[in-house]
Amino acid sequence: MNAMRNLVAACLAFSAFSAIPGQAQEARPLPLKSVLSPSTKAPAADAPADAAKPADSAENTGDAASAATPDEPVVAVKPCEQGLPALRSQLAFKPGELLEFDMDAMGAKAGKLTMRVQRPANGALPVLVEAQTNTLFSKVRRVRGSATSYLHPKTLRPSRYTEEAVENEQRRKVNVDFGAQDKSVKVDYQIGDRPKGHFDYAFDKDGLDVAGAIYLIRQLPLKKDLPVCFDVYGIRRMWRMTATVVEREHVSLPLGEFDAWHLAGTAVRLDRPSQTRDVHVWITDDERRLPLAAVGAIDLGAVRLTLSGVKRPGEKPMEAQGKEDLKW
C-alpha cells in the first residue's frame, strides 16, 4: 500500500468524530465503528486506543488494490439516478490556498498531509497533494508521496491525475487520463521494477479523482437532503460514491469552531461491490467551504485526517490551538 492509499482511505470518508446535531464535539481519534455510528457511545478520553484491532468488515478493510477472486460473483452496481447538481459560480478557493492536515493511523500520530491549489497551467487548475509519515509510524510503514489533479477551471472535472510515491524504498507511479467525451478512464502504473500495468475503466455520469473530488464537493450547493452521486478513481480502481446531505451541524476542532454541512454515504468498488468504504463528510457552511476532517478504513485499520492549518491569499493564516484556546 502506498502513501496515496492512506490519502484515498481518508478522502473516501470525511469525518473526525461522532457529532451530535446541534452540539459542539471535541475532535479526537476514535475507532472507525464509533465514527460511522453516531449513536455509539464514544470512549473515554483517557481510555486506551484499541489500535491493533481491525475493523469489523474484512471487505471494508482489505487491500483495495487487489483484484477480485476468480470465484467471486459479478454484481452490477446501481447507477447514479442523476448527475451532480450545477456548481456554485464563485469558487471557494483560489491559487495559493494551502490546507494542512494531521494524519492518524492505528490510534497514533502517523504524519502530515497538505493540499495546495496551484496556478492555472495549460488550461487546467492543478491541485497538489503531498503526504509523509513521521518517524514513529515509519517503523510500521514508511511512506512519502504526492498526487496532482488537473481540474477544469470551471467544471472542476479532471482531465488528468498523477501519483508518485515511495513505500519502504519501493517507488510507485500512476498516470490517469479522463476522457470527457467517451467517459473513459485510462490508468497506467508501475510498481518498482515490475512491468508497467494498464487498466481501462468507464464512468457513468460524472468521473472524478479522489483529490479533485474534495474541491468539487466544496462547490456543491449544499442543503439538507441533497443527493450526491459520482464515480471516483482511487487506488487504481473506480468507485461509485453515493451520499446525502444529512444535517447542518456545529462542530469543534483544535483549529476552531465551525458550522458545517454533514454528508453521509458509501463508496462501492465498481469491479468488486463487496468492497465498500463508509463515508461521512463535514464541509464548513461559509464562503471558504473548508473540509474539516476525514476518516477511512485501510488494510491496517482506521486512518484519519484532521485540518490543522489554513493559509489563503489575503487572509490571516489559521493554525490549530491548544484546548485552552477553544471557544465554547
Side-chain angles (χ1 to χ4, degrees), residues 136 225 275:
L136 176 62
D225 297 328
Q275 207 163 63

Short mmCIF file of all heavy atoms in Angstrom, two decimals, residues 136 225 275:
data_model
loop_
_atom_site.label_atom_id
_atom_site.label_comp_id
_atom_site.label_asym_id
_atom_site.label_seq_id
_atom_site.Cartn_x
_atom_site.Cartn_y
_atom_site.Cartn_z
N LEU A 136 7.83 7.91 14.01
CA LEU A 136 7.21 6.81 14.76
C LEU A 136 6.50 5.83 13.84
O LEU A 136 6.72 4.62 13.89
CB LEU A 136 6.23 7.37 15.80
CG LEU A 136 5.43 6.33 16.60
CD1 LEU A 136 6.37 5.46 17.42
CD2 LEU A 136 4.42 7.03 17.51
N ASP A 225 -30.82 17.08 2.66
CA ASP A 225 -31.40 16.04 1.81
C ASP A 225 -30.92 16.09 0.35
O ASP A 225 -31.46 15.40 -0.50
CB ASP A 225 -32.94 16.08 1.82
CG ASP A 225 -33.51 15.80 3.19
OD1 ASP A 225 -32.89 15.02 3.95
OD2 ASP A 225 -34.56 16.37 3.53
N GLN A 275 -16.56 -4.79 -1.75
CA GLN A 275 -15.62 -3.90 -1.07
C GLN A 275 -16.21 -2.48 -1.06
O GLN A 275 -16.51 -1.91 -2.11
CB GLN A 275 -14.28 -3.91 -1.79
CG GLN A 275 -13.11 -3.59 -0.88
CD GLN A 275 -11.81 -4.01 -1.51
OE1 GLN A 275 -11.44 -3.48 -2.55
NE2 GLN A 275 -11.09 -4.93 -0.89
#
